Amino acid sequence: MPAVEDPRYLNREQHFADAGVYRLDNDLALVQTVDFFTPVVDDPYMFGQIAAANSLSDVYAMGGKPLTALNLICFPSSCQPLEIMERILLGGFDKIQEAGATLIGGHSVEDPEPKYGLAVTGVVDPHQMITTAGARPGDRLVLTKPLGTGIITTALKGEIFTEREVQEAIRGMAALNAAASRAAVEQGASACTDITGFGLLGHLHELLLSSGIGARLESAAIPFYPGAREAADQGLIPGGAYRNLEYYQNYVQWLGDAALRDDTLILLADPQTSGGLLITVPPARLEAMLASLAQSGVTGWTIGTIEEAPAGTMIIV
Ligand code: CO
Ligand code: CO
């Protein structure tokens, strides 16, 4: 797309920004984002919650506070009962309420394949906004949700698992990143992003590129939802994981056990739905950050360290 010159568009240089930030005055900027996708679970109410949590996440990744949301829904109303659409929208509504935001409208389209998500508007103080560009050598990397939702939803579609068997991943996808975002702002995170379609490798790589630095990941410290490894072993891997890996493995230096390389990297490339925040925090703030997360009932996994290395490099041990 052509370059945009408007100086009020604060993150116009940040190509993989999670949301657009537009300055209104010195201490106030709008944070805007939109996201929608096809169902990842059968339960329409749960799908609504997951899609809404995912849409809200990009505001949280920048340290913003969501204010309003608009529904975007595609639905085959001629061949499926409207109650299903109602359940999807109710799931979204409840999640918007939980976020303390207000649903102020929306738009629906007749479509053979259902899709749902939100356009979200939030606010952030530009001085407190967290971008992907601030990571410094020595900062620790904290992840706030396990990985594996792409693999697990693929296994659900293949009826390898029931929704009951993978309820931890389903609950995780429906969880807001609100508390994690608050902790990141309060504890002085140097950079932050949320893990979605490009997987951990993709989103970490973009953060490192923006910050002009590299990182070391401790593969043994990276958490996965129950069922993810088993499903991956059975080959239930979404196409997006292979596409992510093909591109991002060019930036990986694998220093771990050679026998574990392929099985681990595909898990790290798995596209996530409504994934957690990946936060970089100065080492002196790590304990306070983990304590602050724990206080809000969020687990933070310390999965690596920012290191001097060519921009975007991911050294994995
Ligand atoms: Co994002
Ligand atoms: Co997004």
Side-chain angles (χ1 to χ4, degrees):
M1 298 298 291
V4 175
E5 303 297 343
D6 189 341
R8 290 168 296 184
Y9 174 16
L10 296 183
N11 57 344
R12 61 190 181 282
E13 311 277 341
Q14 215 187 322
H15 297 291
F16 290 88
D18 281 305
V21 184
Y22 190 83
R23 184 168 51 78
L24 294 177
D25 64 35
N26 218 7
D27 311 308
L28 190 65
L30 287 178
V31 187
Q32 294 184 292
T33 181
V34 59
D35 232 316
F36 66 126
F37 49 66
T38 55
V40 286
V41 290
D42 280 336
D43 177 342
Y45 178 74
M46 189 50 88
F47 168 55
Q49 288 195 41
I50 292 170
N54 181 73
S55 301
L56 288 154
S57 178
D58 282 336
V59 174
Y60 291 130
M62 309 208 73
K65 182 186 167 337
L67 288 186
T68 59
L70 298 164
N71 280 326
L72 294 163
I73 189 154
C74 303
F75 194 77
S77 56
S78 52
C79 56
Q80 277 196 40
L82 276 179
E83 287 70 44
I84 295 179
M85 181 162 97
E86 210 175 294
R87 295 294 295 163
I88 296 173
L89 293 174
L90 191 60
F93 180 83
D94 285 351
K95 213 27 92 171
I96 295 164
Q97 293 272 99
E98 186 188 330
T102 305
L103 177 69
I104 56 167
H107 184 69
S108 61
V109 172
E110 176 78 28
D111 189 329
E113 194 170 26
K115 298 169 192 80
Y116 175 60
L118 305 174
V120 181
T121 299
V123 283
V124 70
D125 177 343
H127 308 100
Q128 290 201 333
M129 148 178 129
I130 311 175
T131 70
T132 52
R136 297 287 169 267
D139 287 355
R140 305 305 308 275
L141 279 162
V142 175
L143 180 66
T144 67
K145 286 183 191 177
L147 304 176
T149 63
I151 289 162
I152 285 172
T153 54
T154 303
L156 274 177
K157 280 178 194 142
E159 294 179 350
I160 301 300
F161 290 133
T162 63
E163 292 190 0
R164 211 191 152 73
E165 287 170 321
V166 292
Q167 51 182 308
E168 208 167 307
I170 292 177
R171 254 198 317 249
M173 288 189 282
L176 291 175
N177 283 326
S181 174
R182 228 171 15 247
V185 173
E186 284 170 13
Q187 301 305 328
S190 51
C192 183
T193 190
D194 60 343
I195 308 299
T196 51
F198 300 118
L200 175 69
L201 289 184
H203 292 279
L204 173 60
H205 173 72
E206 303 302 347
L207 181 148
L208 296 172
L209 269 190
S210 298
S211 296
I213 201 144
R216 172 178 298 255
L217 284 179
E218 288 144 39
S219 56
I222 299 172
F224 298 97
Y225 284 115
R229 281 175 184 281
E230 295 89 306
D233 287 344
Q234 293 182 47
L236 291 152
I237 293 162
Y242 291 108
R243 286 192 294 274
N244 286 340
L245 184 58
E246 189 181 310
Y247 184 72
Y248 292 110
Q249 71 180 344
N250 300 315
Y251 306 97
V252 167
Q253 279 179 37
W254 180 266
L255 300 184
D257 183 341
L260 298 177
R261 182 185 182 277
D262 293 356
D263 288 351
T264 306
L265 287 186
I266 198 71
L267 285 161
L268 303 189
D270 183 40
Q272 301 300 286
T273 296
S274 190
L277 296 187
L278 180 66
I279 304 167
T280 67
V281 59
R285 306 296 304 163
L286 177 67
E287 286 313 315
M289 164 81 71
L290 296 177
S292 164
L293 287 171
Q295 224 166 41
S296 326
V298 178
T299 307
W301 286 270
T302 308
I303 61 166
T305 308
I306 300 294
E307 277 192 10
E308 290 289 4
T313 306
M314 297 171 283
I315 299 158
I316 307 184
V317 298

